[in-house]
Amino acid sequence: MDQHVLRNTVHELWAGTALDSLSGFVAIPALSPAFDPVWSANGQLHAAVEHVRGWLTARGLHGASTEVIQLPGRTPLLVLDVPAQDASNEETVVVYGHLDKQPAAGEWSPGLGPWTPVVRDGRLYGRGAGDDGYAAYAGAGALAALQAAGGRHARTVVLLETCEESGSPDLPHYLELLADRLGAVGLVVCLDTAGGDYERLWLATSLRGIAFLDLTVRVLESGVHSGHGSGIVPGSFRVIRQLLDRIEDPHAGEIALPELNVDVPPERLAEIRAAVAGGYRAPELPLAEGVRPLSEDAVELILNNTWRPTLTVTGADGLPPISDAGNVLRPLTGLKLSFRLPPTTDAAVALRSIERALTGGVPFGAHVQIDRAEAADGWNAPPTAPWLESTLDKVSADVFDRDWQAIGLGGSIPFLGMFARAYPRAQFVVTGPRGPGNNAHVPDEWLHLDQTARVTEAVARILHAHATA
């Protein structure tokens, strides 16, 4: 393989047609179904799929085919299927990305907008640029560069779903549909995560699971004057607070339910310590003046964010705005509870444990109702094969001139658990060009173009190494 041609081809793509087409993709408001209930009638997801399909087809990859698959009542899946090129490895490689987007989410900075692509200071701004439109171009671009440089690759299938931002509910149905067609999958490259800087190759090795539910506690059929009722009827907030204290220690912040806790694997703890020794820290957050983080120990903060369960109240019902609140003993309090679960926790078991804790022996016989309870498992990467370990070392030295870094992430991405169940013998490369400050899901989302080119080149080299592994 001519590595000079490989690098030049990647950089030419990202300076030319890939950037142009990705900019066109940004302009399409292809909201995920969770944010657009009439997505099918609006046609924006289909428009995004057809836009990207056009670019993929134009690459002219040897023997490649593109196909849009859509099961009844489900979002479309775009598939690029590229036959093996001089490979001795008969496994299939799956490269993953998604084409659905988050909504605008507030006001963007002057001159920027969610559906207005802007290139500024080496960044492409716009919704979907970094999460996750680039993945289609990086995956196909890596293959195009390999073929131009005389490189090798096994059969590679790029899967681009359109409901990831809604939790990927349709993806398992497509993985089942494609199981026989894909055959033995030996490598999964997921292009939808972030790292700690824009200087090295970052691999995600774990993601937390999630459980969430709506909890409502009712003590009255209707509100009453607080002067008449307080001291006679327990406040619904008092009851709900007692229920939550069964789950979370209000002082230490630790989750008390054993079903939600796990032992941190030694290799993950070693990764965290190595990352901290190399300067990695938990994400910087906009703390209010005087507020301290939960620990001054960087390792503890990362463990809290990646391998320990947490509870967050993300919404409330039954509480009027302060300006409208009168002297009323309210009939009910409702809270939206979001639990982040350790990567290896059984999410279904954890959810049942939470429900038992909230509904058994309720103080004062208050009425408890649980709605919209759901859970999804996290993901923990399998041990890294020797061929991949050595390849990552060489790729990092050649492309980034720095060691690669592995780290767990605090978010929940259900599709990784789906892939792990579908392809239990596969190696995983979970990476991406996003990093600090890139603003995925919030205003001013942007994509670091130089890092994207480096990640694309790294993926190409990994595919080349896999072809003879």
Side-chain angles (χ1 to χ4, degrees):
M1 178 176 64
D2 189 324
Q3 298 186 7
H4 180 74
V5 171
L6 178 75
R7 178 166 297 178
N8 282 350
T9 302
V10 167
H11 284 271
E12 287 171 3
L13 282 171
W14 279 112
T17 63
L19 177 57
D20 291 343
S21 184
L22 180 56
S23 297
F25 169 78
V26 165
I28 303 171
L31 296 182
S32 196
F35 309 103
D36 182 8
V38 291
W39 60 268
S40 183
N42 285 339
Q44 299 296 348
L45 285 179
H46 290 92
V49 165
E50 289 303 324
H51 176 85
V52 174
R53 182 183 188 180
W55 189 86
L56 298 179
T57 302
R59 294 314 94 214
L61 294 166
H62 300 162
S65 63
T66 59
E67 180 183 2
V68 179
I69 304 173
Q70 186 166 13
L71 292 170
R74 302 199 179 278
T75 52
L77 179 78
L78 177 57
V79 179
L80 170 68
D81 195 336
V82 185
Q85 185 81 15
D86 298 325
S88 57
N89 194 329
E90 296 182 356
E91 297 174 337
T92 300
V93 178
V94 170
V95 178
Y96 169 89
H98 68 87
L99 302 178
D100 57 315
K101 306 181 185 183
Q102 290 273 330
E107 294 295 323
W108 290 50
S109 297
L112 303 177
W115 323 121
T116 305
V118 173
V119 177
R120 182 185 297 173
D121 300 326
R123 302 172 176 179
L124 172 61
Y125 287 84
R127 180 64 80 227
D131 188 19
D132 187 43
Y134 80 87
Y137 301 89
L143 290 164
L146 270 180
Q147 293 191 357
R152 302 179 179 187
H153 61 79
R155 181 197 177 194
T156 303
V157 180
V158 181
L159 299 180
L160 302 167
E161 68 160 317
T162 55
C163 62
E164 191 276 340
E165 301 292 3
S166 303
S168 300
D170 297 341
L171 184 60
H173 301 276
Y174 286 116
L175 295 183
E176 181 179 1
L177 177 71
L178 295 172
D180 291 340
R181 175 170 160 183
L182 294 181
V185 174
L187 174 64
V188 177
V189 180
C190 293
L191 297 172
D192 189 24
T193 58
D197 58 40
Y198 298 98
E199 298 175 351
R200 73 187 71 228
L201 181 66
W202 289 86
L203 267 64
T205 51
S206 67
L207 288 129
R208 289 192 288 184
I210 192 169
F212 51 88
L213 56 87
D214 299 344
L215 171 66
T216 302
V217 170
R218 179 180 288 276
V219 296
L220 293 165
E221 294 301 325
S222 61
V224 300
H225 193 295
S226 61
H228 297 161
S230 61
I232 299 174
V233 179
S236 60
F237 190 86
R238 174 184 173 185
V239 175
I240 210 166
R241 183 175 59 192
Q242 291 179 15
L243 294 177
L244 294 183
D245 286 354
R246 296 175 176 181
I247 295 173
E248 180 189 50
D249 182 324
H251 302 289
E254 297 173 354
I255 300 298
L257 303 180
E259 295 86 349
L260 275 65
N261 288 277
V262 302
D263 293 329
V264 181
E267 65 272 19
R268 298 295 172 244
L269 183 58
E271 283 177 359
I272 292 170
R273 288 173 173 163
V276 169
Y280 178 77
R281 295 294 182 270
E284 292 188 10
L285 303 174
L287 296 175
E289 184 176 355
V291 175
R292 299 185 302 276
L294 293 174
S295 174
E296 297 300 325
D297 185 322
V299 171
E300 286 299 304
L301 285 181
I302 296 170
L303 283 171
N304 286 346
N305 186 242
T306 58
W307 277 92
R308 290 174 181 152
T310 59
L311 164 62
T312 304
V313 176
T314 60
D317 280 338
L319 293 165
I322 292 175
S323 59
D324 297 336
N327 293 321
V328 175
L329 186 63
R330 297 175 297 100
L332 62 87
T333 298
L335 298 178
K336 180 76 171 182
L337 306 183
S338 175
F339 295 85
R340 296 289 178 170
L341 307 174
T344 54
T345 293
D346 186 316
V349 171
L351 181 57
R352 289 195 295 269
S353 174
I354 293 165
E355 291 175 328
R356 286 196 301 268
L358 295 173
T359 57
V362 178
F364 307 104
H367 293 187
V368 171
Q369 181 173 331
I370 292 177
D371 297 299
R372 297 192 296 178
E374 295 186 38
D377 289 334
W379 170 77
N380 186 38
T384 305
W387 76 264
L388 182 55
E389 184 99 27
S390 61
T391 298
L392 292 170
D393 290 342
K394 181 168 177 51
V395 165
S396 294
D398 292 348
V399 180
F400 296 86
D401 196 27
R402 286 174 174 81
D403 292 338
W404 60 282
Q405 183 67 64
I407 197 70
L409 300 179
S412 304
I413 305 180
F415 72 75
L416 274 169
M418 299 173 192
F419 278 121
R421 288 188 293 273
Y423 313 126
R425 298 180 181 178
Q427 289 288 288
F428 281 76
V429 174
V430 181
T431 189
R434 300 201 307 269
N438 67 12
N439 284 3
H441 294 197
V442 295
D444 297 356
E445 177 183 338
W446 51 267
L447 178 70
H448 192 293
L449 294 172
D450 284 347
Q451 181 73 344
T452 303
R454 287 190 287 269
V455 168
T456 303
E457 182 181 351
V459 169
R461 290 171 179 253
I462 292 168
L463 295 179
H464 178 76
H466 169 265
T468 55

